[in-house]
Amino acid sequence: MKKHSDILGNPHLLLALSAASAFGLSVNAYGHEGEGSAGGVISGMSHPVSGLDHVVAMVAVGVWGAQLGKPAIWLLPVAFPMVMAIGGFLGLIGMPLPFVEIGIALSAIVLGSMVLAEAKPPIGVALAIVAVFAVFHGHAHGTELPENESGLLYSIGFVVCTGLLHAVGITIGIAHIWKRGRPFLRALGGAVALLGLYFLWSALT
Amino acid sequence: VRSRRSIFTAGFLIPAALTHRAEAHLVSTELGPFYDGALHPLVTAEDLLTILAFALFAGLGSVERGRRCILGFAGGWTIGVIAGFGAHASEFQLPIASAAVLIVAAIAVAVNLRMPSPLLVGIALLVGMGRGAMNGAAARGADGQWLSVVGIACGVSVLMVMIAGFSVWLRRRRAQIALRVAGSWIGAIALLKIGWELQAGWQ
């Protein structure tokens, strides 16, 4: 409880997280969104939420970060976009990365298991785990990016949406500070891990 | 109290009686290029991201250091626009170099890098000049280009001050990490931009 008291005691931060989560969970308003600059941003924002495998892994990163407490709660969301962009960069320039789909499935299994077990490895280990999987997620996005989009605007939408998914995870993960919230989070982690097993099965068959 | 109310009433009524027609149609004011310039940083994603990165960086340090950074950046941008008028647009369109600079600035925000004030101002000045030169080269020969310089200078300065001010406000409310996360996002966007540019170059 004490560990997280600074988060609960900061109404601005809570408000920002709630707003970010609301954005992350909202659906698109279809007002000619395909035209001009907005098309690139909306298209980029749609991409990370178009695959359940990405969504559960991003949310799990946020939840695990919240369980780990400071400084991981902030370090993981700071590190993830940068490392994911390295993967995206490799995908964009055509650098092949083997077993991408398997890596993404494993990310859901591992991150879900970490949340399920409330695992608290050293911060360096946690960062390394997240960074490795971020490369796979980024690479998959990088190779799937559509043509004829504004690269910069698409990237803005894509990165912001990924960050908002982390914010959703962190907001959910704050339930960790309540006694009754912990089993809920562990169950959530178990569900993510099970989904990961399904993704792995799909990738292998 | 009554005399105060009278003064306030007179203060509103007299200017209201003396006002002129509102010039809603900017063509007649000939201030169009000024507004074009002022809005330019808001509608150009590359410019906006660069301003955002430097404004966040300015807001992360002390207020004094932030002010110098804003002055250096906005001043450099203005000088760059004027210098850019003398160049061809193609000479100053360097997307990969711009994105690389943006990555460095964004990482500096993400890791909350501390650097001596003169160095910070120097870098802000140089980067501002670079982006400004690209603006100037693109606007070269346009009608009212000198008015657009004033507009760009105002637009960049106001944006910088607003974002840096918001950053300071966040920092003082223990939400500094939000600025660092934003830096990480900008860096990621810039790296992906380089990937897009390389991909487009190879195709």
Side-chain angles (χ1 to χ4, degrees):
Chain A
M1 185 78 187
K2 207 172 181 180
K3 241 180 193 176
H4 295 270
S5 59
D6 56 335
I7 298 166
L8 278 180
N10 189 335
H12 301 99
L13 215 49
L14 272 180
L15 187 67
L17 275 174
S18 307
S21 305
F23 272 117
L25 292 170
S26 62
V27 292
N28 297 337
Y30 289 98
H32 308 292
E33 97 292 352
E35 292 175 13
S37 303
V41 175
I42 298 295
S43 179
M45 290 194 88
S46 308
H47 199 250
V49 290
S50 61
L52 188 62
D53 46 358
H54 290 296
V55 173
V56 295
M58 299 305 109
V59 173
V61 168
V63 174
W64 192 32
Q67 280 182 329
L68 287 167
K70 283 175 78 176
I73 190 170
W74 305 123
L75 275 179
L76 299 188
V78 169
F80 195 96
M82 282 301 292
V83 185
M84 186 191 68
I86 293 171
F89 175 79
L90 295 176
L92 276 166
I93 63 171
M95 184 87 75
L97 185 70
F99 312 118
V100 171
E101 290 305 320
I102 292 171
I104 290 170
L106 283 175
S107 74
I109 295 170
V110 173
L111 291 167
S113 303
M114 293 294 166
V115 174
L116 173 66
E118 289 186 327
K120 294 195 173 175
I123 183 67
V125 175
L127 272 174
I129 291 171
V130 167
V132 167
F133 291 129
V135 173
F136 284 106
H137 282 271
H139 192 278
H141 287 308
T143 50
E144 292 165 6
L145 294 179
E147 290 179 9
N148 303 322
E149 292 281 2
S150 157
L152 186 62
L153 294 172
Y154 186 94
S155 304
I156 290 172
F158 167 64
V159 171
V160 168
C161 187
T162 300
L164 291 178
L165 284 173
H166 291 153
V168 170
I170 291 172
T171 309
I172 295 170
I174 289 175
H176 180 70
I177 60 176
W178 294 292
K179 208 172 181 180
R180 288 180 183 173
R182 290 179 189 176
F184 161 72
L185 290 182
R186 295 183 72 168
L188 191 69
V192 170
L194 282 175
L195 273 171
L197 283 172
Y198 168 72
F199 298 142
L200 186 62
W201 176 260
S202 303
L204 291 172
T205 54
Chain B
V1 175
R2 190 175 288 174
S3 66
R4 253 190 219 170
R5 198 175 292 163
S6 306
I7 292 168
F8 274 120
T9 310
F12 282 111
L13 285 178
I14 293 169
L18 294 174
T19 50
H20 292 283
R21 186 162 54 97
E23 298 282 358
H25 298 283
L26 292 174
V27 175
S28 59
T29 66
E30 296 183 352
L31 278 172
F34 171 81
Y35 291 104
D36 281 348
L39 289 177
H40 182 80
L42 270 178
V43 296
T44 314
E46 286 93 340
D47 289 345
L48 190 58
L49 283 174
T50 312
I51 291 170
L52 190 60
F54 273 85
L56 292 177
F57 199 45
L60 269 173
S62 69
V63 173
E64 189 57 37
R65 198 182 75 145
R67 284 179 188 142
R68 286 179 191 161
C69 181
I70 291 170
L71 271 176
F73 190 79
W77 198 298
T78 309
I79 296 165
V81 173
I82 296 166
F85 286 158
H88 291 289
S90 58
E91 291 171 15
F92 278 107
Q93 298 309 309
L94 308 165
I96 292 178
S98 303
V101 169
L102 194 53
I103 289 175
V104 175
I107 289 174
V109 175
V111 302
N112 194 10
L113 186 72
R114 302 279 168 190
M115 65 170 73
S117 194
L119 182 64
L120 173 66
V121 175
I123 291 171
L125 190 80
L126 282 175
V127 174
M129 280 174 75
R131 290 269 9 137
M134 288 179 211
N135 285 178
R140 182 174 178 254
D143 288 338
Q145 61 179 20
W146 293 105
L147 210 50
S148 73
V149 174
V150 181
I152 288 174
C154 291
V156 171
S157 306
V158 169
L159 257 180
M160 280 287 281
V161 169
M162 285 175 72
I163 300 168
F166 182 64
S167 308
V168 171
W169 183 82
L170 279 176
R171 181 165 56 80
R172 289 184 175 167
R173 276 154 189 81
R174 294 180 293 146
Q176 181 174 311
I177 194 68
L179 307 177
R180 297 177 63 181
V181 170
S184 159
W185 289 10
I186 295 169
I189 291 164
L191 183 57
L192 288 170
K193 164 78 175 160
I194 293 179
W196 281 90
E197 290 294 337
L198 289 175
Q199 189 193 50
W202 290 337
Q203 276 174 355

